Amino acid sequence: MALHKATDHKQVDDTTDLFAGTVATSVAAKNRMPENASRPEAVYQLLHNELLLDGNASQNLATFCTTWSEDQVHRLMNECLDKNMIDKDEYPQTAEIESRCVNILADLWNAPAGATAMGCSTTGSSEAAMLGGLALKWRWRHKRLAEGKPADKPNIVAGPVQICWDKFARYFDVEIRQVPLEPGATGLRPHQLADYVDENTIGVVAILGVTFTCDFEPVKELSAELDRIQAETGLDIPIHVDAASGGFIAPFLYPELVWDFRVERVASINASGHKYGMAPLGVGWVVWREPELLPEELIFRVNYLGGDMPTFALNFSRPGGEVIAQYYLFQRLGKQGYREVYEACAATARYLGEQIASMGPFELLYDGRGALPAISYKLKDPENAGFTLYDLTDQLRMRGWQVPSYPLPANRQETVIQRILIRHGIGRDEISLLADDIHRALHRLTAGTPAVLPDDVSRIGFHH
Ligand SMILES: *Cc1c(COP(=O)(O)O)cnc(C)c1O
């Protein structure tokens, strides 16, 4: 028997309620293009409702990426829907704004070349890392060939990297030498380097904001160790800093921390504009300390406005709105604004860290002090806790919170951790509600009943 749709015998026109029309009263064919067109508002509403299943971005405490923007950012993004970043000819002002952003970052990261520093926007830190890695590989090859030595076995040395460096290594045929985490360590340690670098090392990647633990690797100390290795062996190995998250935190929260181009060995830096840069998803940055560090063969030149515009990118067409939004944020917030936002985020992270530490079963791995506005923690005694962090993830998910659990990388895989990131758009009150929910979840997991928090007593009340 065929099911009759409510609208089968009805005339659908502009006055028909969205939820009385065909789109709302039938199950959409999902993997096949429909034969006919539908009303835009109806299809919009259908998709709007479906997307609610993704969960609520402001409760996603797993991502580093922007989940909240001011209205002006939404408006600019809308106005820039037609801007193609690659068409420097057609959109010269967008190109101009991109290069202003590069100059701002070069200055923020203390590039000695100042406004002549070389850099570009990308789709994110992953593409930026590929470009940084390619420049390292080309420079190493030039040097090897000039010395009459083979250049067929390049390697790159790093601690617990984000997957983009594994991709770089595989896609561009470079061996990745991943230095395992030492017990108790949250990143690469200088004394580990000597066992991993050699004449085929194109560079060392130092991470400002280790994905797993949120910590900053000690760029200056890693560089000092490479100085020592150079004095001993003659090997002159450059550093690329993957500052995907930390590149927009360190200059504002830790201006004294020397991690950027003030360290002479740092050849290039990448950062994600769409993480702590606060821009909407789809923009990253890479900057070289000086133009000479970017080999000419990697640069393609396009003529625009009678000028000569160098481009270095894996993509061709891509949206320009994110770059405009990034520039808006630089102008809108200034250094003071970025500092204030991240001071507030960091204070909220420390607040949550204190709450988590006082609950009993957790041990903080990172307490929100000295690096990203975030915390990470593990169970003190996983064997006897009576629950796993994965169970806690599930409990929190019931209230909409996204707090994933995952094992640490190489050599410490037995340790499972949770990580909570505090970003622009997440307030203290929201985090206090999360802390209450963690309390309740713990009680449920260990005692099997929902906890009554001191605050709850008044809420439940004993009204007669
Ligand atoms: C997020 C991240 C990346 C990848 O950045 P995307 O902007 O998502 O491409 C690379 N490295 C580190 C350390 C990261 O945190």
Side-chain angles (χ1 to χ4, degrees):
M1 191 189 81
L3 289 176
H4 288 284
K5 288 179 288 180
T7 52
D8 273 358
H9 49 277
K10 261 200 286 182
Q11 199 67 27
V12 176
D13 63 26
D14 283 354
T15 67
T16 310
D17 184 276
L18 285 186
F19 288 92
T22 323
V23 171
T25 55
S26 55
V27 175
K30 298 194 175 53
N31 300 302
R32 187 165 50 74
M33 197 183 286
E35 293 303 326
N36 303 312
S38 296
R39 286 168 71 191
E41 318 84 68
V43 179
Y44 169 81
Q45 195 60 45
L46 182 94
L47 275 171
H48 175 87
N49 286 6
E50 176 162 1
L51 289 171
L52 295 175
L53 296 176
D54 273 339
N56 175 349
S58 90
Q59 282 185 292
N60 176 359
L61 300 170
T63 184
F64 291 89
C65 294
T66 304
T67 53
W68 184 83
S69 296
E70 289 178 332
D71 183 47
Q72 287 76 3
V73 171
H74 290 265
R75 276 156 55 193
L76 283 169
M77 288 295 286
N78 200 18
E79 286 163 30
C80 293
L81 217 59
D82 55 356
K83 305 274 189 207
N84 188 347
M85 205 60 244
I86 199 72
D87 282 341
K88 318 264 180 196
D89 235 345
E90 277 114 283
Y91 307 110
Q93 217 52 33
T94 298
E96 158 70 18
I97 287 174
E98 180 194 26
S99 51
R100 287 185 209 157
C101 288
V102 169
N103 294 343
I104 287 171
L105 290 174
D107 179 62
L108 201 60
W109 297 335
N110 298 292
T116 66
M118 184 71 97
C120 57
S121 69
T122 59
T123 50
S125 276
S126 299
E127 187 189 6
M130 308 279 159
L131 303 184
L134 282 170
L136 291 177
K137 184 178 174 183
W138 252 250
R139 288 211 311 281
W140 166 83
R141 186 158 58 201
H142 280 171
K143 200 161 87 183
R144 295 286 291 174
L145 295 179
E147 290 166 356
K149 291 178 179 159
D152 56 347
K153 287 196 170 58
N155 68 67
I156 191 159
V157 173
V161 285
Q162 207 267 357
I163 193 164
C164 69
W165 292 101
D166 295 300
K167 285 189 183 174
F168 164 73
R170 196 172 306 165
Y171 295 169
F172 298 106
D173 220 2
V174 173
E175 175 200 353
I176 185 157
R177 295 191 175 165
Q178 229 174 313
V179 183
L181 275 180
E182 286 187 341
T186 49
L188 179 62
R189 296 274 166 90
H191 71 263
Q192 296 180 288
L193 281 177
D195 289 341
Y196 291 87
V197 297
D198 61 23
E199 59 178 5
N200 290 317
T201 302
I202 65 171
V204 168
V205 178
I207 307 168
L208 213 67
V210 175
T211 313
F212 308 91
T213 58
C214 308
D215 210 2
F216 290 171
E217 289 179 342
V219 180
K220 194 170 145 217
E221 289 75 12
L222 289 166
S223 173
E225 175 64 8
L226 289 172
D227 290 347
R228 194 195 62 75
I229 289 170
Q230 181 172 9
E232 205 169 85
T233 64
L235 299 173
D236 184 5
I237 299 168
I239 293 177
H240 173 94
V241 183
D242 178 355
S245 52
F248 285 102
I249 293 292
F252 307 112
L253 290 188
Y254 315 107
E256 309 305 320
L257 182 73
V258 176
W259 66 276
D260 53 16
F261 292 119
R262 283 167 288 179
V263 179
E264 230 172 285
R265 206 173 274 283
V266 171
S268 43
I269 299 173
N270 71 268
S272 298
H274 56 215
K275 290 184 175 173
Y276 292 104
M278 298 192 222
L281 275 169
V283 63
W285 300 96
V286 56
V287 178
W288 286 269
R289 107 182 262 107
E290 47 204 22
E292 299 75 60
L293 292 177
L294 181 53
E296 273 293 317
E297 311 96 286
L298 292 175
I299 301 174
F300 290 80
R301 301 203 172 264
V302 292
N303 300 322
Y304 95 108
L305 286 186
D308 174 44
M309 191 73 191
T311 83
F312 180 24
L314 300 183
N315 303 290
F316 193 67
S317 297
R318 82 187 149 82
E322 290 84 347
V323 170
I324 304 298
Q326 182 77 82
Y327 188 68
Y328 165 81
L329 285 152
F330 290 160
Q331 295 299 329
R332 150 80 177 99
L333 291 173
K335 291 179 184 170
Q336 180 200 1
Y338 271 88
R339 187 168 53 246
E340 285 173 355
V341 167
Y342 290 135
E343 275 168 359
C345 289
T348 295
R350 292 193 298 269
Y351 159 86
L352 181 60
E354 284 155 18
Q355 301 264 321
I356 297 268
S358 71
M359 288 181 195
F362 305 115
E363 180 186 330
L364 289 177
L365 294 170
Y366 171 60
D367 65 0
R369 288 178 169 79
L372 299 181
I375 57 165
S376 67
Y377 51 92
K378 59 175 185 149
L379 286 173
K380 266 184 203 154
D381 184 5
E383 302 290 299
N384 300 306
F387 68 98
T388 66
L389 288 181
Y390 297 105
D391 297 328
L392 180 58
T393 294
D394 287 345
Q395 285 285 327
L396 294 176
R397 191 67 207 228
M398 289 185 212
R399 292 273 290 168
W401 303 109
Q402 298 178 42
V403 181
S405 304
Y406 49 89
L408 284 181
N411 275 24
R412 300 206 36 212
Q413 278 125 335
E414 72 296 342
T415 304
V416 175
I417 71 166
Q418 287 186 343
R419 184 193 68 185
I420 292 178
L421 296 152
I422 310 296
R423 304 178 301 273
H424 189 209
I426 295 181
R428 182 75 58 94
D429 191 64
E430 185 181 350
I431 291 302
S432 83
L433 297 174
L434 169 70
D436 287 352
D437 280 339
I438 296 176
H439 253 299
R440 288 195 194 89
L442 281 183
H443 204 272
R444 217 174 282 130
L445 287 168
T446 53
T449 54
V452 176
L453 300 175
D455 278 1
D456 286 347
V457 177
S458 62
R459 243 182 275 153
I460 295 165
F462 289 97
H463 304 295
H464 298 286

